Each structure stands twice: as structure tokens, then as C-alpha cells.
Amino acid sequence: MKERLLLRNFRLLNRRLADIAIEDGRIAEVTEAGKGTGTRVIEGSGSYLSSGWIDLHVHAFPEFDPYGDEIDEIGAKQGVATIVDAGSCGADRIGELVESGRRAKTNLLAFLNVSRIGLSRIDELSKLEWIDGEAAIQAAKRFPDFVVGLKARISRSVVGGNGVEPLRMARALSEAADLPLMVHIGSGPPSIEEIVPLLAKKDIITHYLNGKENNLFDAEGKPLQVLLDALRRGIRLDVGHGTASFSFRAAEAAKRHGIGLHTISSDIYRGNRLNGPVYSLANVMTKFLYLGYPLEEVIAAVTSNAADWLQRPELGRIRVGDVAHLTLFSVRNEPVVLTDSEDEVRMASERIEPKGVVVNGEYMECEDRA
Ligand code: ZN
Ligand code: ZN
């Protein structure tokens, strides 16, 4: 008999209970709970199910230190169906990242670092000759289904004395390659006022809630004019929590001023996975639940919002006929201590916990980290 996996009695985000059947890797049927059929059953007992989570900012090239990790450790094992490597590799090594993605269970996509050397060192834009436009365009063309955009880290320790020149070059390259740009922000120079006006529609600012001196909010927590202008131009904001780039104070200021939540991402790699403050995408999502965002908005920030930006809407929905990418999770009512990148601590009363994941139709249980 043909295998037909049945996910039975799961709560969808519209709060309805449903059964979902998967056959040949695709969603075969979505029915009212109790009506589905299958040869192998996973019982949900009313816990949640969403389309497969997407983490738009991770570091999945294990060889690079400090910013590297194993694909499935930060993907499927944590309930994340699709991870997007945020510029670990430039043109020199991107082919190896593509190869290791093919061996992993988790879906892997990537931003190509505009510096051909990528994160083989952490000042990858300190020499302008490392921005090799021709090599980048060729690499993007070689892997069109894999490279979703370009990445440029525009902060002092990365660009050295080059100011915004690497960003100008990256923006020109983005035009030439017809790919949007993800820009990392951090300590200046260059100043945030010089950086943000150079960004264009569909570009993404990652680390937008960082608590550094050069961030997007003034001393009172009011959003800077350059941020408001950028939002009007269609620039997207990505969390990119990371070791040093998420501040509760900035996040609370953003919420107070109605700065929208677009994509929640972790900027996870081995160090901040094992020692915090990131641990997992679910832990970052729990912080936004704590901040008062409804569960639907938190889940949209790791599903439909990311899928829409990627122009892969099928990754962000549950529809019969699509390849099955799903995340099974629960929201547990229990006290949890949350720490940001500034060592500020908050006590929350509920946390999001992934239970299992379906990637390309294959079901895997998550590792219990509780
Ligand atoms: Zn960064
Ligand atoms: Zn990063």
C-alpha cells in the first residue's frame, strides 16, 4: 500500500482543527478533524500546525568561524523547514554551500555576499577589490533557484575605512544582477543616516532592532526619519537577532510606534545557538509573543511574510497540491526567562515549542530542548 501520512487533529492558525494528508511529498487533502485517512498517523491532540517556518537570516557554512553551523542543527531539528544563509559565502565558496544544501534535510537558500571571500574573515568589505561584480553576477546566474539576494554587512568592523563605498558598490551590483540586497547594520561609521537612504524597494535591513549607538531609534525611542522614509519606499525590516543585534528596548520602542513586524529571523550560528542569547528561531519568536504581538503575527513573520518576500508564496501557505512544508508546534504556558543581546532579561509566561517538521513531504520530530 502506498504510504499516506496523516497529521490528525492539528489546530490551524484560523483556530480550526484539521487533518492533513501527505502523499508523494505533497499535500493530498485538508479536511475537518477526524475525517482524514492515512497509513501512518501523527496525532496532534489539538496542538498547532502552520506552513513550514522560514528563517531568513542564518549562517549555515560550518567551516567558517565564528559565523557557521550545520544546516539541520539550525533547520529541521528546530522545526524550521527553510533556512536562508545570509551571506556566509561569496562567489568563491557559494558552490560548496549549494552542495551541502543538497545533502541536508532542511531546505537551504542563500544571500550571496557581495564580497567574494564571504565570511572567511570578518572584515570582508575592508578591501574594495574583494567586491568582484563579475564574479558575483556569474555565481548568481549559476544558481538562480538558490541565490535569493545579495548581502552586504555595512558596519565599522566589516568595512574598515571604506565608509558607505561598499554599499554603493553593492547597490549597483544589485541593479546589475536584478537581485535585492540585505544590509546588515551595526556600529558606525558609516552612520545609519548615510546608509538607509541608499536602500531601494525590496531591500532588507537586518538587525533593525539592534541596541547599538548607531541604531534606527533616537534616545527617546522614536524611529528616525530615515527609517520612516525607507518604509515608505518599500524597504523591509528583518530581526536578525544574533549575538549582538536584538534589544528589548528597541523592540518595545518599535512596537510603541507601530513599526511593523515583517520577518523574524535568528542570525543563528553555533556559538549563539549553544550559549545564547539566540538558542533557536522558536526562542526568538517567543520574545515577540512576550512583546505582545498576537500569535498569528508572529507565525506570519516566519511563514507568509518571508515567503512573499522570497516570491515563493507556496512556502508560506497550506494548499492541496503543494510540496508539503509544515511545522508542528505548541504554545506552552510556563515561565521562561528571555535574554536579549544587551543582557536585559524579561520573564515571559508562555513559550513557543516546535514538535515536528515536514520538509519536502518528509516528517521529522524536533529535538527536545526543554
Ligand atoms: Zn550581521
Ligand atoms: Zn548574520
Side-chain angles (χ1 to χ4, degrees), residues 271-285:
N272 66 31
R273 168 169 63 84
L274 296 172
N275 309 317
V278 174
Y279 301 109
S280 66
L281 180 63
N283 183 60
V284 180
M285 291 159 66

PDB file of all heavy atoms in Angstrom, residues 271-285:
ATOM      1  N   GLY A 271      27.803  29.329  18.012  1.00  0.00           N
ATOM      2  CA  GLY A 271      28.054  29.989  19.305  1.00  0.00           C
ATOM      3  C   GLY A 271      26.779  30.487  19.975  1.00  0.00           C
ATOM      4  O   GLY A 271      26.533  30.199  21.144  1.00  0.00           O
ATOM      5  N   ASN A 272      25.943  31.207  19.217  1.00  0.00           N
ATOM      6  CA  ASN A 272      24.750  31.769  19.858  1.00  0.00           C
ATOM      7  C   ASN A 272      23.606  30.763  19.925  1.00  0.00           C
ATOM      8  O   ASN A 272      22.602  31.017  20.582  1.00  0.00           O
ATOM      9  CB  ASN A 272      24.335  33.107  19.218  1.00  0.00           C
ATOM     10  CG  ASN A 272      23.862  32.992  17.790  1.00  0.00           C
ATOM     11  OD1 ASN A 272      23.298  31.981  17.382  1.00  0.00           O
ATOM     12  ND2 ASN A 272      24.091  34.046  17.007  1.00  0.00           N
ATOM     13  N   ARG A 273      23.763  29.616  19.236  1.00  0.00           N
ATOM     14  CA  ARG A 273      22.802  28.519  19.406  1.00  0.00           C
ATOM     15  C   ARG A 273      23.080  27.790  20.716  1.00  0.00           C
ATOM     16  O   ARG A 273      22.171  27.525  21.509  1.00  0.00           O
ATOM     17  CB  ARG A 273      22.905  27.527  18.235  1.00  0.00           C
ATOM     18  CG  ARG A 273      22.148  26.215  18.485  1.00  0.00           C
ATOM     19  CD  ARG A 273      22.037  25.365  17.238  1.00  0.00           C
ATOM     20  NE  ARG A 273      23.303  24.899  16.700  1.00  0.00           N
ATOM     21  CZ  ARG A 273      23.961  23.808  17.119  1.00  0.00           C
ATOM     22  NH1 ARG A 273      23.477  23.071  18.104  1.00  0.00           N
ATOM     23  NH2 ARG A 273      25.103  23.457  16.550  1.00  0.00           N
ATOM     24  N   LEU A 274      24.344  27.497  20.974  1.00  0.00           N
ATOM     25  CA  LEU A 274      24.685  26.716  22.161  1.00  0.00           C
ATOM     26  C   LEU A 274      24.703  27.560  23.435  1.00  0.00           C
ATOM     27  O   LEU A 274      24.284  27.105  24.492  1.00  0.00           O
ATOM     28  CB  LEU A 274      26.054  26.047  21.966  1.00  0.00           C
ATOM     29  CG  LEU A 274      26.101  25.024  20.819  1.00  0.00           C
ATOM     30  CD1 LEU A 274      27.533  24.578  20.575  1.00  0.00           C
ATOM     31  CD2 LEU A 274      25.194  23.835  21.108  1.00  0.00           C
ATOM     32  N   ASN A 275      25.171  28.799  23.327  1.00  0.00           N
ATOM     33  CA  ASN A 275      25.370  29.626  24.530  1.00  0.00           C
ATOM     34  C   ASN A 275      24.387  30.783  24.662  1.00  0.00           C
ATOM     35  O   ASN A 275      24.466  31.568  25.594  1.00  0.00           O
ATOM     36  CB  ASN A 275      26.792  30.204  24.519  1.00  0.00           C
ATOM     37  CG  ASN A 275      27.843  29.126  24.301  1.00  0.00           C
ATOM     38  OD1 ASN A 275      27.752  28.060  24.894  1.00  0.00           O
ATOM     39  ND2 ASN A 275      28.800  29.376  23.426  1.00  0.00           N
ATOM     40  N   GLY A 276      23.455  30.906  23.719  1.00  0.00           N
ATOM     41  CA  GLY A 276      22.536  32.030  23.708  1.00  0.00           C
ATOM     42  C   GLY A 276      23.228  33.282  23.205  1.00  0.00           C
ATOM     43  O   GLY A 276      24.423  33.232  22.894  1.00  0.00           O
ATOM     44  N   PRO A 277      22.519  34.400  23.099  1.00  0.00           N
ATOM     45  CA  PRO A 277      21.115  34.568  23.508  1.00  0.00           C
ATOM     46  C   PRO A 277      20.085  34.127  22.465  1.00  0.00           C
ATOM     47  O   PRO A 277      18.910  34.347  22.677  1.00  0.00           O
ATOM     48  CB  PRO A 277      21.032  36.082  23.731  1.00  0.00           C
ATOM     49  CG  PRO A 277      21.991  36.662  22.735  1.00  0.00           C
ATOM     50  CD  PRO A 277      23.115  35.671  22.609  1.00  0.00           C
ATOM     51  N   VAL A 278      20.526  33.470  21.385  1.00  0.00           N
ATOM     52  CA  VAL A 278      19.561  33.097  20.349  1.00  0.00           C
ATOM     53  C   VAL A 278      18.912  31.736  20.655  1.00  0.00           C
ATOM     54  O   VAL A 278      17.697  31.627  20.697  1.00  0.00           O
ATOM     55  CB  VAL A 278      20.234  33.069  18.948  1.00  0.00           C
ATOM     56  CG1 VAL A 278      19.260  32.533  17.903  1.00  0.00           C
ATOM     57  CG2 VAL A 278      20.687  34.470  18.550  1.00  0.00           C
ATOM     58  N   TYR A 279      19.692  30.719  20.802  1.00  0.00           N
ATOM     59  CA  TYR A 279      19.270  29.318  21.028  1.00  0.00           C
ATOM     60  C   TYR A 279      18.527  28.692  19.846  1.00  0.00           C
ATOM     61  O   TYR A 279      18.902  27.613  19.380  1.00  0.00           O
ATOM     62  CB  TYR A 279      18.433  29.153  22.299  1.00  0.00           C
ATOM     63  CG  TYR A 279      19.150  29.580  23.553  1.00  0.00           C
ATOM     64  CD1 TYR A 279      18.793  30.735  24.229  1.00  0.00           C
ATOM     65  CD2 TYR A 279      20.225  28.820  24.052  1.00  0.00           C
ATOM     66  CE1 TYR A 279      19.465  31.132  25.379  1.00  0.00           C
ATOM     67  CE2 TYR A 279      20.904  29.218  25.209  1.00  0.00           C
ATOM     68  CZ  TYR A 279      20.515  30.372  25.859  1.00  0.00           C
ATOM     69  OH  TYR A 279      21.178  30.768  26.996  1.00  0.00           O
ATOM     70  N   SER A 280      17.463  29.362  19.384  1.00  0.00           N
ATOM     71  CA  SER A 280      16.668  28.789  18.296  1.00  0.00           C
ATOM     72  C   SER A 280      15.759  29.862  17.724  1.00  0.00           C
ATOM     73  O   SER A 280      15.513  30.892  18.372  1.00  0.00           O
ATOM     74  CB  SER A 280      15.792  27.644  18.817  1.00  0.00           C
ATOM     75  OG  SER A 280      14.818  28.160  19.715  1.00  0.00           O
ATOM     76  N   LEU A 281      15.223  29.607  16.531  1.00  0.00           N
ATOM     77  CA  LEU A 281      14.239  30.541  15.972  1.00  0.00           C
ATOM     78  C   LEU A 281      13.018  30.610  16.888  1.00  0.00           C
ATOM     79  O   LEU A 281      12.462  31.687  17.110  1.00  0.00           O
ATOM     80  CB  LEU A 281      13.830  30.098  14.559  1.00  0.00           C
ATOM     81  CG  LEU A 281      12.807  31.008  13.866  1.00  0.00           C
ATOM     82  CD1 LEU A 281      13.346  32.421  13.640  1.00  0.00           C
ATOM     83  CD2 LEU A 281      12.350  30.408  12.537  1.00  0.00           C
ATOM     84  N   ALA A 282      12.598  29.463  17.442  1.00  0.00           N
ATOM     85  CA  ALA A 282      11.418  29.450  18.318  1.00  0.00           C
ATOM     86  C   ALA A 282      11.614  30.372  19.523  1.00  0.00           C
ATOM     87  O   ALA A 282      10.688  31.061  19.960  1.00  0.00           O
ATOM     88  CB  ALA A 282      11.123  28.028  18.781  1.00  0.00           C
ATOM     89  N   ASN A 283      12.825  30.386  20.067  1.00  0.00           N
ATOM     90  CA  ASN A 283      13.107  31.254  21.213  1.00  0.00           C
ATOM     91  C   ASN A 283      12.988  32.738  20.818  1.00  0.00           C
ATOM     92  O   ASN A 283      12.475  33.556  21.584  1.00  0.00           O
ATOM     93  CB  ASN A 283      14.505  30.946  21.762  1.00  0.00           C
ATOM     94  CG  ASN A 283      14.838  31.761  23.007  1.00  0.00           C
ATOM     95  OD1 ASN A 283      14.153  31.672  24.008  1.00  0.00           O
ATOM     96  ND2 ASN A 283      15.867  32.587  22.921  1.00  0.00           N
ATOM     97  N   VAL A 284      13.441  33.076  19.615  1.00  0.00           N
ATOM     98  CA  VAL A 284      13.299  34.463  19.145  1.00  0.00           C
ATOM     99  C   VAL A 284      11.818  34.784  18.951  1.00  0.00           C
ATOM    100  O   VAL A 284      11.344  35.867  19.318  1.00  0.00           O
ATOM    101  CB  VAL A 284      14.099  34.686  17.838  1.00  0.00           C
ATOM    102  CG1 VAL A 284      13.945  36.126  17.358  1.00  0.00           C
ATOM    103  CG2 VAL A 284      15.589  34.366  18.043  1.00  0.00           C
ATOM    104  N   MET A 285      11.058  33.830  18.409  1.00  0.00           N
ATOM    105  CA  MET A 285       9.615  34.037  18.217  1.00  0.00           C
ATOM    106  C   MET A 285       8.918  34.253  19.565  1.00  0.00           C
ATOM    107  O   MET A 285       8.026  35.097  19.686  1.00  0.00           O
ATOM    108  CB  MET A 285       9.012  32.827  17.500  1.00  0.00           C
ATOM    109  CG  MET A 285       9.467  32.708  16.045  1.00  0.00           C
ATOM    110  SD  MET A 285       9.264  31.014  15.394  1.00  0.00           S
ATOM    111  CE  MET A 285       7.493  30.848  15.391  1.00  0.00           C
TER     112      MET A 285
END
